[in-house]
Every structure is written in C-alpha cells, then in structure tokens.
Amino acid sequence: MDAALQKQLIKAVAGTVIAHAEELTTLDQAIGDGDHGLNMKRGFEAVLADIDGLAAKPLPDALKAIGTQLVMKVGGASGPLYGTFFLTLGKTLPAEPTSVDVARAFEAALEATRARGKSEAGQKTLLDVLTPVLDEMNSDGADLPARLKARAFAAAETTVPMKAVRGRASFLGDRSIGHMDPGARSSSLMIAAACDVLEG
C-alpha cells in the first residue's frame, strides 16, 4: 500500500472517532462508564499526532504501532480490545495485501479480540459489528466497501434491543436494553470511514 493511501485511511478512521467522541460518550453514559468517547478520542489523537511517521512505515508496522498506541492511551476495556485488534491485523497482514489477505487478517484479529474480551457475538459488544462484517467480507457480490459499510451500521443497530451480558453494561441487566452498544457504534464508524476512503 502506498504511503498516501495509508495516510488517508489512518486520517479518516482517527478523524471519525474524534468527530463522534461526544456521541460515543453519550451512548456510554447510558449503559457504561460514560468515558468511551473521551478514551477513544485520546487514543486516536495520539495516532494522528504521528500520522506522517505511521504513513511512512510498512502497513504491518503501522498497524502494530496504532495498536500499541491504543493499548497505552485508551482506558477501560476498549484500549486492550481495539489494541489487540490492530496489533493482530499488523501481525497477520502482508505489506501489499489482497482482499483475501484482508479477510484472513480480519478473521485473526476478530478471534484475538474475542479471546481478549472472553466474549462472543450476541452479548452486546463490538463483536456484534465485527462478526457480521467478516461474514460480509467472505460473501460474493459487487461494491464490497458499500456493503461492508451498510452491514456495519445495521449491525450496530441490532445491539439496541440486546441485553448486555458482558462488560459494565451487563450490571444493568434488562435496563441495558434499548441502547446501542458504544463499542459497536465506534466499530461501525471506523469500518465506514475506511470503506469511504476505499470507495474513493
């Protein structure tokens, strides 16, 4: 991947998280610690601060560096989860990935994130977006970026009627029903931002 596209992708993903920080915090105030937006914003501001250095690295090294920043800067459960996701992507993707490589690396990153959180899809977490997005990657059809974006947004919506059984939201029991999971929302935003860049 050339440095210009890599920089564009990093800027878009980081920028959308930062732009939606208040929304993510509001979602988290309903069913969590209320700090998801602020924590994610802090992590991606650190990523943006080194964007030229990250763009100059080979793609695997850039992804590992982003994962390390998120582990160090994002608090709560989100830092280790997103950090694990990006670190595993970096360990798995080649420098010039094909679409098959991307799907394979995404699956490895999803599995590592699932193991880190000791969670499964259906428990009202970011896995409820990442899992159907992987399914979409492995399906046939045209306009993959548009399909991934639509699937990610729709999957985040499916967390609204779910009852949380993992994380702090699970303490609320039935009161967690009726709210979108903030991790699902941040995942959908990042996937959509990357897809927008790839669509051109």
Side-chain angles (χ1 to χ4, degrees):
M1 180 179 293
D2 68 65
L5 177 58
Q6 194 162 299
K7 184 174 183 177
Q8 207 178 343
L9 282 167
I10 296 167
K11 190 174 180 181
V13 170
T16 198
V17 170
I18 292 167
H20 288 83
E22 190 172 329
E23 177 198 347
L24 295 173
T25 290
T26 299
L27 289 173
D28 200 31
Q29 283 170 341
I31 58 172
D33 292 337
D35 57 4
H36 185 61
L38 290 174
N39 284 341
M40 294 292 284
K41 181 182 177 189
R42 184 169 56 244
F44 279 100
E45 282 177 341
V47 169
L48 273 187
D50 186 32
I51 191 164
D52 289 332
L54 291 169
K57 291 178 186 289
L59 179 61
D61 294 342
L63 289 166
K64 285 185 273 189
I66 290 169
T68 301
Q69 281 285 14
L70 297 181
V71 168
M72 291 192 307
K73 301 289 185 184
V74 178
S78 300
L81 293 174
Y82 278 120
T84 296
F85 186 85
F86 279 93
L87 281 164
T88 308
L89 276 184
K91 290 175 184 171
T92 314
L93 269 181
E96 298 293 338
T98 64
S99 58
V100 173
D101 293 328
V102 172
R104 188 176 299 137
F106 195 96
E107 183 172 10
L110 173 59
E111 183 56 41
T113 306
R114 184 185 294 138
R116 172 69 70 187
K118 299 181 175 60
S119 185
E120 299 291 337
Q123 296 181 328
K124 199 176 177 96
T125 71
L126 74 173
L127 296 179
D128 293 306
V129 167
L130 300 181
T131 303
V133 164
L134 176 62
D135 292 341
E136 195 67 46
M137 278 185 189
N138 289 321
S139 66
D140 295 328
D143 302 324
L144 182 60
R147 286 191 287 115
L148 292 176
K149 183 176 171 179
R151 188 75 181 266
F153 281 145
E157 290 290 342
T158 67
T159 67
V160 173
M162 287 182 182
K163 177 180 174 179
V165 293
R166 292 293 299 170
R168 193 171 181 84
S170 65
F171 300 160
L172 297 178
D174 288 343
R175 286 183 291 138
S176 66
I177 296 171
H179 303 278
M180 184 182 291
D181 178 70
R185 176 61 175 158
S186 57
S187 296
S188 70
L189 288 167
M190 286 189 270
I191 288 162
C195 289
D196 283 343
V197 171
L198 295 173
E199 280 183 311

